[in-house]
Amino acid sequence: SLGNGSNFMKVLSMIPISSFAKQKLKEWGEKNQLILSIHWYPSGGTLGHLDKVTVEQYVAMGKKESADLMASSPIWVSEFCMLLPQDTAKYLAQFTNAGSPCTTYWQYTDTQYTQSFGWYKYPPEVKQYGDPVDVLGIVNDKAWAAYEPTVADGTYWGAQITGSGGGQTGVLSKVK
């Protein structure tokens, strides 16, 4: 994330990078060997961005940080997450219109194939007990006991852990 992108990152940014690292970033940026990847999560919490940072402000912050460190290398909004596909589509357009040459969202999922909102697929024998792991990371013992052998034999995979939920299908068709 950006040095000014959240309270946590502001604290981390108090520790300066070495002059050697600064020189390398500038050198590589001048050779067009770098892209500044930034994540945008406007919610609160430790990694949440500062209050009231708009998309336009955040893109401008990314461009400034790139200019300061990387000879104005392109920025890439490489991750953001909205709960509804129409909101994801709206923000894809807003980042582009604000000057981000590349924007990707978290996360595309073929929900028809997985029958879930993530990068995981559960067989009916598991689904009858619910999800093996819920969005809070709490394990459902019955579902897990049914799921574990399917992971071991490679017939099913994944679980709703480490942000793998919240997937969406059809977002690009909604971009205006």
Side-chain angles (χ1 to χ4, degrees):
S1 192
L2 296 174
N4 285 327
S6 70
N7 292 328
F8 180 71
M9 291 305 296
K10 283 180 92 171
V11 170
L12 284 181
S13 294
M14 295 170 123
I15 303 166
I17 61 174
S18 71
S19 58
F20 176 79
K22 282 184 185 179
Q23 181 57 39
K24 282 294 175 192
L25 288 171
K26 184 176 186 257
E27 179 184 314
W28 292 339
E30 288 170 349
K31 293 179 184 177
N32 296 315
Q33 294 176 311
L34 297 175
I35 295 173
L36 178 60
S37 168
I38 60 177
H39 293 181
W40 188 71
Y41 288 97
S43 61
T46 306
L47 295 176
H49 298 298
L50 301 171
D51 291 333
K52 309 292 182 193
V53 174
T54 66
V55 165
E56 294 78 11
Q57 290 168 327
Y58 200 64
V59 168
M61 289 166 61
K63 288 181 175 184
K64 180 177 182 339
E65 189 160 312
S66 177
D68 292 347
L69 292 175
M70 303 163 57
S72 294
S73 296
I75 65 164
W76 168 31
V77 180
S78 54
E79 189 175 307
F80 74 98
C81 182
M82 296 290 130
L83 296 178
L84 300 173
Q86 60 268 25
D87 292 335
T88 301
K90 177 180 97 175
Y91 280 93
L92 279 171
Q94 281 186 358
F95 280 115
T96 301
N97 292 334
S100 174
C102 183
T103 303
T104 53
Y105 66 94
W106 185 263
Q107 65 193 342
Y108 170 79
T109 303
D110 184 344
T111 55
Q112 189 172 18
Y113 173 74
T114 64
Q115 297 295 298
S116 72
F117 293 102
W119 301 339
Y120 48 89
K121 185 173 173 95
Y122 303 135
E125 315 71 81
V126 173
K127 291 182 91 153
Q128 70 179 335
Y129 301 114
D131 288 347
V133 181
D134 72 13
V135 70
L136 299 174
I138 298 169
V139 175
N140 173 333
D141 292 330
K142 281 186 176 184
W144 190 264
Y147 186 54
E148 193 172 14
T150 71
V151 174
D153 69 18
T155 55
Y156 289 92
W157 34 262
Q160 186 166 300
I161 57 172
T162 62
S164 67
Q168 302 171 9
T169 300
V171 170
L172 295 180
S173 67
K174 295 173 178 28
V175 175
K176 295 178 183 172

